[in-house]
mmCIF file of all heavy atoms in Angstrom:
data_model
loop_
_atom_site.group_PDB
_atom_site.id
_atom_site.type_symbol
_atom_site.label_atom_id
_atom_site.label_comp_id
_atom_site.label_asym_id
_atom_site.label_seq_id
_atom_site.Cartn_x
_atom_site.Cartn_y
_atom_site.Cartn_z
ATOM 1 N N VAL A 67 -38.378 91.852 32.035
ATOM 2 C CA VAL A 67 -37.984 90.507 31.412
ATOM 3 C C VAL A 67 -39.367 89.738 31.454
ATOM 4 O O VAL A 67 -39.869 89.473 32.541
ATOM 5 C CB VAL A 67 -36.899 89.846 32.139
ATOM 6 C CG1 VAL A 67 -36.681 88.396 31.612
ATOM 7 C CG2 VAL A 67 -35.579 90.623 32.076
ATOM 8 N N ALA A 68 -39.711 89.424 30.275
ATOM 9 C CA ALA A 68 -40.944 88.553 30.232
ATOM 10 C C ALA A 68 -40.564 87.122 29.920
ATOM 11 O O ALA A 68 -39.870 86.863 28.921
ATOM 12 C CB ALA A 68 -41.876 89.135 28.941
ATOM 13 N N LEU A 69 -41.018 86.277 30.848
ATOM 14 C CA LEU A 69 -40.791 84.893 30.537
ATOM 15 C C LEU A 69 -41.996 84.279 29.940
ATOM 16 O O LEU A 69 -43.117 84.062 30.567
ATOM 17 C CB LEU A 69 -40.527 84.053 31.907
ATOM 18 C CG LEU A 69 -39.366 84.643 32.685
ATOM 19 C CD1 LEU A 69 -39.268 83.845 34.080
ATOM 20 C CD2 LEU A 69 -38.081 84.454 32.046
ATOM 21 N N THR A 70 -41.914 84.027 28.560
ATOM 22 C CA THR A 70 -43.067 83.479 27.820
ATOM 23 C C THR A 70 -42.916 82.002 27.865
ATOM 24 O O THR A 70 -41.919 81.349 27.273
ATOM 25 C CB THR A 70 -42.855 83.952 26.369
ATOM 26 O OG1 THR A 70 -42.886 85.377 26.394
ATOM 27 C CG2 THR A 70 -44.020 83.522 25.552
ATOM 28 N N VAL A 71 -43.819 81.356 28.492
ATOM 29 C CA VAL A 71 -43.921 79.923 28.562
ATOM 30 C C VAL A 71 -44.738 79.345 27.632
ATOM 31 O O VAL A 71 -45.940 79.611 27.441
ATOM 32 C CB VAL A 71 -44.467 79.475 30.070
ATOM 33 C CG1 VAL A 71 -44.466 78.080 30.214
ATOM 34 C CG2 VAL A 71 -43.576 80.169 31.140
ATOM 35 N N VAL A 72 -44.114 78.330 26.800
ATOM 36 C CA VAL A 72 -44.926 77.776 25.649
ATOM 37 C C VAL A 72 -44.886 76.235 25.746
ATOM 38 O O VAL A 72 -45.239 75.613 24.674
ATOM 39 C CB VAL A 72 -44.289 78.331 24.353
ATOM 40 C CG1 VAL A 72 -44.608 79.784 24.143
ATOM 41 C CG2 VAL A 72 -42.895 77.944 24.178
ATOM 42 N N GLY A 73 -44.627 75.790 26.897
ATOM 43 C CA GLY A 73 -44.704 74.279 26.942
ATOM 44 C C GLY A 73 -46.199 73.937 27.051
ATOM 45 O O GLY A 73 -47.103 74.768 27.300
ATOM 46 N N THR A 74 -46.533 72.660 26.834
ATOM 47 C CA THR A 74 -47.907 72.149 26.683
ATOM 48 C C THR A 74 -48.296 71.286 27.885
ATOM 49 O O THR A 74 -47.643 70.466 28.209
ATOM 50 C CB THR A 74 -48.145 71.381 25.363
ATOM 51 O OG1 THR A 74 -47.776 72.195 24.260
ATOM 52 C CG2 THR A 74 -49.599 70.884 25.365
ATOM 53 N N ASP A 75 -49.336 71.733 28.580
ATOM 54 C CA ASP A 75 -49.884 70.913 29.732
ATOM 55 C C ASP A 75 -50.611 69.833 29.158
ATOM 56 O O ASP A 75 -51.482 69.905 28.333
ATOM 57 C CB ASP A 75 -50.841 71.930 30.407
ATOM 58 C CG ASP A 75 -51.555 71.336 31.698
ATOM 59 O OD1 ASP A 75 -51.452 70.000 31.801
ATOM 60 O OD2 ASP A 75 -52.044 72.108 32.493
ATOM 61 N N PRO A 76 -50.203 68.578 29.690
ATOM 62 C CA PRO A 76 -50.830 67.436 29.170
ATOM 63 C C PRO A 76 -52.350 67.340 29.390
ATOM 64 O O PRO A 76 -52.999 66.906 28.511
ATOM 65 C CB PRO A 76 -50.163 66.184 30.062
ATOM 66 C CG PRO A 76 -48.857 66.853 30.537
ATOM 67 C CD PRO A 76 -49.181 68.333 30.703
ATOM 68 N N ALA A 77 -52.852 67.876 30.449
ATOM 69 C CA ALA A 77 -54.211 67.889 30.530
ATOM 70 C C ALA A 77 -54.959 68.873 29.572
ATOM 71 O O ALA A 77 -55.958 68.494 28.947
ATOM 72 C CB ALA A 77 -54.699 68.372 31.950
ATOM 73 N N GLN A 78 -54.329 69.898 29.263
ATOM 74 C CA GLN A 78 -54.796 70.938 28.264
ATOM 75 C C GLN A 78 -54.660 70.273 26.896
ATOM 76 O O GLN A 78 -55.694 70.496 25.960
ATOM 77 C CB GLN A 78 -54.086 72.185 28.314
ATOM 78 C CG GLN A 78 -54.637 73.293 27.601
ATOM 79 C CD GLN A 78 -53.886 74.666 27.783
ATOM 80 O OE1 GLN A 78 -52.695 74.579 27.894
ATOM 81 N NE2 GLN A 78 -54.560 75.762 27.875
ATOM 82 N N GLN A 79 -53.635 69.568 26.603
ATOM 83 C CA GLN A 79 -53.420 68.872 25.323
ATOM 84 C C GLN A 79 -54.475 67.896 25.091
ATOM 85 O O GLN A 79 -54.911 67.751 23.935
ATOM 86 C CB GLN A 79 -51.975 68.310 25.343
ATOM 87 C CG GLN A 79 -51.623 67.844 23.966
ATOM 88 C CD GLN A 79 -50.133 67.380 24.040
ATOM 89 O OE1 GLN A 79 -49.691 66.949 24.889
ATOM 90 N NE2 GLN A 79 -49.565 67.370 22.828
ATOM 91 N N ALA A 80 -54.939 67.253 26.124
ATOM 92 C CA ALA A 80 -56.011 66.187 25.932
ATOM 93 C C ALA A 80 -57.326 66.837 25.573
ATOM 94 O O ALA A 80 -58.152 66.139 24.996
ATOM 95 C CB ALA A 80 -56.087 65.344 27.267
ATOM 96 N N LEU A 81 -57.567 68.075 25.973
ATOM 97 C CA LEU A 81 -58.908 68.612 25.858
ATOM 98 C C LEU A 81 -58.914 69.723 24.659
ATOM 99 O O LEU A 81 -59.777 70.210 24.380
ATOM 100 C CB LEU A 81 -59.233 69.495 27.070
ATOM 101 C CG LEU A 81 -59.468 68.502 28.340
ATOM 102 C CD1 LEU A 81 -59.604 69.249 29.548
ATOM 103 C CD2 LEU A 81 -60.536 67.520 28.120
ATOM 104 N N THR A 82 -57.821 69.996 24.079
ATOM 105 C CA THR A 82 -57.627 71.156 23.133
ATOM 106 C C THR A 82 -56.855 70.584 21.802
ATOM 107 O O THR A 82 -55.923 69.824 21.927
ATOM 108 C CB THR A 82 -56.859 72.200 23.795
ATOM 109 O OG1 THR A 82 -57.393 72.508 25.059
ATOM 110 C CG2 THR A 82 -56.916 73.478 22.842
ATOM 111 N N SER A 83 -57.322 71.054 20.626
ATOM 112 C CA SER A 83 -56.669 70.640 19.462
ATOM 113 C C SER A 83 -55.288 71.231 19.298
ATOM 114 O O SER A 83 -54.973 72.236 19.950
ATOM 115 C CB SER A 83 -57.545 71.105 18.162
ATOM 116 O OG SER A 83 -57.335 72.561 18.091
ATOM 117 N N GLU A 84 -54.473 70.654 18.597
ATOM 118 C CA GLU A 84 -53.058 71.071 18.492
ATOM 119 C C GLU A 84 -53.048 72.508 17.773
ATOM 120 O O GLU A 84 -52.271 73.234 18.219
ATOM 121 C CB GLU A 84 -52.331 70.095 17.505
ATOM 122 C CG GLU A 84 -50.876 70.440 17.339
ATOM 123 C CD GLU A 84 -50.008 70.324 18.716
ATOM 124 O OE1 GLU A 84 -50.425 69.548 19.555
ATOM 125 O OE2 GLU A 84 -49.123 71.186 18.767
ATOM 126 N N ARG A 85 -53.923 72.670 16.796
ATOM 127 C CA ARG A 85 -54.097 74.023 16.206
ATOM 128 C C ARG A 85 -54.402 75.019 17.286
ATOM 129 O O ARG A 85 -53.717 76.167 17.345
ATOM 130 C CB ARG A 85 -55.148 74.034 15.157
ATOM 131 C CG ARG A 85 -55.225 75.415 14.444
ATOM 132 C CD ARG A 85 -56.194 75.374 13.269
ATOM 133 N NE ARG A 85 -56.332 76.657 12.698
ATOM 134 C CZ ARG A 85 -57.359 77.103 12.147
ATOM 135 N NH1 ARG A 85 -58.495 76.335 11.927
ATOM 136 N NH2 ARG A 85 -57.368 78.327 11.676
ATOM 137 N N THR A 86 -55.345 74.770 18.177
ATOM 138 C CA THR A 86 -55.669 75.815 19.223
ATOM 139 C C THR A 86 -54.560 76.095 20.087
ATOM 140 O O THR A 86 -54.214 77.184 20.535
ATOM 141 C CB THR A 86 -56.992 75.337 19.978
ATOM 142 O OG1 THR A 86 -57.990 75.187 19.084
ATOM 143 C CG2 THR A 86 -57.385 76.262 21.127
ATOM 144 N N LEU A 87 -53.814 74.953 20.551
ATOM 145 C CA LEU A 87 -52.667 75.069 21.406
ATOM 146 C C LEU A 87 -51.585 75.940 20.770
ATOM 147 O O LEU A 87 -51.032 76.878 21.358
ATOM 148 C CB LEU A 87 -52.076 73.761 21.772
ATOM 149 C CG LEU A 87 -52.971 73.001 22.785
ATOM 150 C CD1 LEU A 87 -52.335 71.517 22.866
ATOM 151 C CD2 LEU A 87 -53.084 73.608 24.079
ATOM 152 N N GLN A 88 -51.436 75.827 19.464
ATOM 153 C CA GLN A 88 -50.381 76.576 18.667
ATOM 154 C C GLN A 88 -50.755 78.114 18.814
ATOM 155 O O GLN A 88 -50.033 79.009 18.879
ATOM 156 C CB GLN A 88 -50.124 76.047 17.271
ATOM 157 C CG GLN A 88 -49.453 74.802 17.320
ATOM 158 C CD GLN A 88 -49.398 74.140 15.961
ATOM 159 O OE1 GLN A 88 -49.848 74.690 14.971
ATOM 160 N NE2 GLN A 88 -48.641 73.060 15.756
ATOM 161 N N GLU A 89 -52.103 78.301 18.487
ATOM 162 C CA GLU A 89 -52.667 79.609 18.428
ATOM 163 C C GLU A 89 -52.541 80.281 19.750
ATOM 164 O O GLU A 89 -52.134 81.518 19.867
ATOM 165 C CB GLU A 89 -54.089 79.666 17.992
ATOM 166 C CG GLU A 89 -54.212 79.336 16.508
ATOM 167 C CD GLU A 89 -55.672 79.172 16.110
ATOM 168 O OE1 GLU A 89 -56.517 79.172 16.936
ATOM 169 O OE2 GLU A 89 -55.929 79.000 14.792
ATOM 170 N N MET A 90 -52.743 79.563 20.977
ATOM 171 C CA MET A 90 -52.714 80.085 22.180
ATOM 172 C C MET A 90 -51.139 80.481 22.550
ATOM 173 O O MET A 90 -50.870 81.561 23.011
ATOM 174 C CB MET A 90 -53.158 79.133 23.254
ATOM 175 C CG MET A 90 -54.675 78.905 23.202
ATOM 176 S SD MET A 90 -55.305 77.536 24.203
ATOM 177 C CE MET A 90 -54.502 77.765 25.819
ATOM 178 N N HIS A 91 -50.232 79.566 22.124
ATOM 179 C CA HIS A 91 -48.808 79.961 22.444
ATOM 180 C C HIS A 91 -48.365 81.071 21.570
ATOM 181 O O HIS A 91 -47.582 81.956 22.051
ATOM 182 C CB HIS A 91 -47.928 78.724 22.074
ATOM 183 C CG HIS A 91 -48.153 77.499 22.990
ATOM 184 N ND1 HIS A 91 -47.205 76.982 23.605
ATOM 185 C CD2 HIS A 91 -49.244 76.981 23.446
ATOM 186 C CE1 HIS A 91 -47.643 75.863 24.411
ATOM 187 N NE2 HIS A 91 -48.942 75.936 24.364
ATOM 188 N N ALA A 92 -48.773 81.162 20.358
ATOM 189 C CA ALA A 92 -48.558 82.265 19.482
ATOM 190 C C ALA A 92 -49.053 83.618 20.035
ATOM 191 O O ALA A 92 -48.429 84.602 20.023
ATOM 192 C CB ALA A 92 -48.958 82.059 18.042
ATOM 193 N N GLY A 93 -50.260 83.523 20.596
ATOM 194 C CA GLY A 93 -50.902 84.724 21.231
ATOM 195 C C GLY A 93 -50.105 85.178 22.407
ATOM 196 O O GLY A 93 -49.861 86.293 22.644
ATOM 197 N N HIS A 94 -49.742 84.224 23.265
ATOM 198 C CA HIS A 94 -48.882 84.588 24.482
ATOM 199 C C HIS A 94 -47.493 85.254 24.095
ATOM 200 O O HIS A 94 -47.032 86.165 24.668
ATOM 201 C CB HIS A 94 -48.628 83.299 25.284
ATOM 202 C CG HIS A 94 -49.871 82.913 26.071
ATOM 203 N ND1 HIS A 94 -50.376 81.586 26.093
ATOM 204 C CD2 HIS A 94 -50.648 83.592 26.881
ATOM 205 C CE1 HIS A 94 -51.391 81.434 26.765
ATOM 206 N NE2 HIS A 94 -51.619 82.671 27.288
ATOM 207 N N THR A 95 -46.935 84.639 23.006
ATOM 208 C CA THR A 95 -45.675 85.062 22.521
ATOM 209 C C THR A 95 -45.907 86.581 22.018
ATOM 210 O O THR A 95 -44.963 87.363 22.343
ATOM 211 C CB THR A 95 -45.154 84.134 21.490
ATOM 212 O OG1 THR A 95 -44.981 82.841 22.073
ATOM 213 C CG2 THR A 95 -43.700 84.631 20.948
#
């Protein structure tokens, strides 16, 4: 059972573009 976590860390959100965050979440998924 893989628990894929796609919430956004506020610190990471402040340092990373929304597009990059979406790509990271898509990659983990």
Side-chain angles (χ1 to χ4, degrees):
V67 174
L69 300 177
T70 303
V71 180
V72 295
T74 302
D75 181 341
Q78 193 175 37
Q79 191 172 25
L81 300 172
T82 310
S83 73
E84 185 62 31
R85 179 177 179 205
T86 300
L87 287 172
Q88 289 174 359
E89 289 172 354
M90 289 170 49
H91 290 231
H94 286 126
T95 301

